[in-house]
Amino acid sequence: MHFEPKAVTLKDGRTLVLKNQEPENALEMLEYMRQTSAETENMVRYPEEVEISEEEIQRKKEMLKENQEDKRSLMLGAFLDGKLVGNAGIQSAGERFKMKHRASFGIAIIKEAWGLGIGGMLLDILLEEAPGMGYEMVELGVCEGNERGISLYNKKGFIQCGRIPKAFKLKDGTYRDEILMYRMVKKTME
Ligand SMILES: CC(C)(COP(=O)(O)OP(=O)(O)OC[C@H]1O[C@@H](n2cnc3c(N)ncnc32)[C@H](O)[C@@H]1OP(=O)(O)O)[C@@H](O)C(=O)NCCC(=O)NCCS
């Protein structure tokens, strides 16, 4: 979905631009994915699982183009001094009638930009846009122990509604539960 670019002033006085991820950002996006996957265990992939090749760049370009044209998906990049430091998005949890009111949310900010309020800003915009995109609720899964993420989601009104034991298996052989959270974004009849 198209989003009109927005410039905001951060806690530290720097200007952040929030805008759609363009297909031209494909390589930067892959590099950002590799970096964020290396910086914490709270991502769903290991860095080496992000392949950076001509083929992958092309695939990413097409994915970003489709995303822009899809009225039910919104992916936003956060650019600090022109550099991609964060990305967050919502997309449909299922396009059949019984599920199409549910949006899935995902986010990652590079570590050096944590704590500046970027995660909160991206989440606020997506929660505001969600009803206009046809959604009544936004849901997410977060790895146990991700206190920063859980604190952000609690602050934004998400409610814990379940837990998948041992959802993530790490290289050291230990497991982490996935905590499921949701938030209504539009009043329903119930
Ligand atoms: C989780 C994440 C998106 C938060 O982004 P962010 O830009 O740092 O978030 P914000 O600065 O808007 O807010 C973070 C909040 O967590 C709080 N917080 C920070 N460290 C914390 C900690 N160790 N324990 C509890 N809360 C903490 C802060 O107080 C802040 O709230 P405040 O604005 O009221 O002070 C970011 O850290 C990230 O991308 N992490 C790695 C990937 C990830 O975990 N993605 C989510 C997967 S579900």
Side-chain angles (χ1 to χ4, degrees):
M1 195 186 95
H2 175 73
F3 177 79
E4 209 47 48
K6 192 174 171 176
V8 285
T9 306
L10 292 179
K11 288 175 185 172
D12 65 1
R14 282 185 290 171
T15 302
L16 182 83
V17 176
L18 304 169
K19 58 179 185 176
N20 281 122
Q21 289 284 14
E22 303 289 337
E24 301 73 64
N25 295 137
L27 172 60
E28 198 177 11
M29 182 76 183
L30 289 169
E31 285 167 345
Y32 143 92
M33 285 167 65
R34 191 177 269 182
Q35 182 176 346
T36 49
S37 305
E39 287 177 339
T40 130
E41 290 283 16
N42 295 322
M43 299 291 287
V44 293
R45 58 179 77 78
Y46 279 111
E48 65 275 17
E49 291 173 320
V50 182
E51 194 189 317
I52 301 183
S53 61
E54 273 314 313
E55 205 182 336
E56 273 311 306
I57 294 169
Q58 200 49 42
R59 214 192 308 266
K60 198 76 187 163
K61 271 187 185 164
E62 277 155 29
M63 194 275 271
L64 292 170
K65 188 167 174 287
E66 277 168 25
N67 192 274
Q68 275 189 339
E69 289 162 2
D70 182 355
K71 289 188 167 51
R72 300 266 293 157
S73 290
L74 177 55
M75 196 188 276
L76 289 178
F79 295 82
L80 191 55
D81 300 327
K83 184 186 171 211
L84 176 64
V85 296
N87 185 71
I90 51 173
Q91 61 183 36
S92 179
E95 278 304 277
R96 295 210 173 90
F97 187 90
K98 290 181 183 177
M99 287 177 72
K100 66 182 186 190
H101 61 297
R102 294 167 49 190
S104 300
F105 166 80
I107 188 167
I109 312 287
I110 66 167
K111 202 167 190 172
E112 67 180 47
W114 286 4
L116 293 172
I118 300 174
M121 282 180 213
L122 286 167
L123 188 46
D124 282 342
I125 293 172
L126 293 167
L127 290 171
E128 205 175 299
E129 296 289 337
M133 295 166 72
Y135 299 116
E136 294 175 30
M137 59 191 280
V138 176
E139 60 197 50
L140 60 89
V142 55
C143 186
E144 71 171 316
N146 185 353
E147 299 309 330
R148 184 179 286 269
I150 293 168
S151 150
L152 174 66
Y153 305 143
N154 281 331
K155 196 171 72 177
K156 297 294 177 188
F158 282 81
I159 297 163
Q160 193 174 323
C161 57
R163 193 174 186 106
I164 304 176
K166 298 188 173 185
F168 304 110
K169 184 173 180 178
L170 307 190
K171 282 180 180 172
D172 64 6
T174 63
Y175 296 89
R176 301 283 184 278
D177 293 355
E178 182 177 16
I179 298 168
L180 307 177
M181 303 182 85
Y182 81 102
R183 205 204 103 144
M184 303 309 289
V185 288
K186 186 174 158 187
K187 287 237 177 301
T188 57
M189 298 304 284
E190 291 152 281

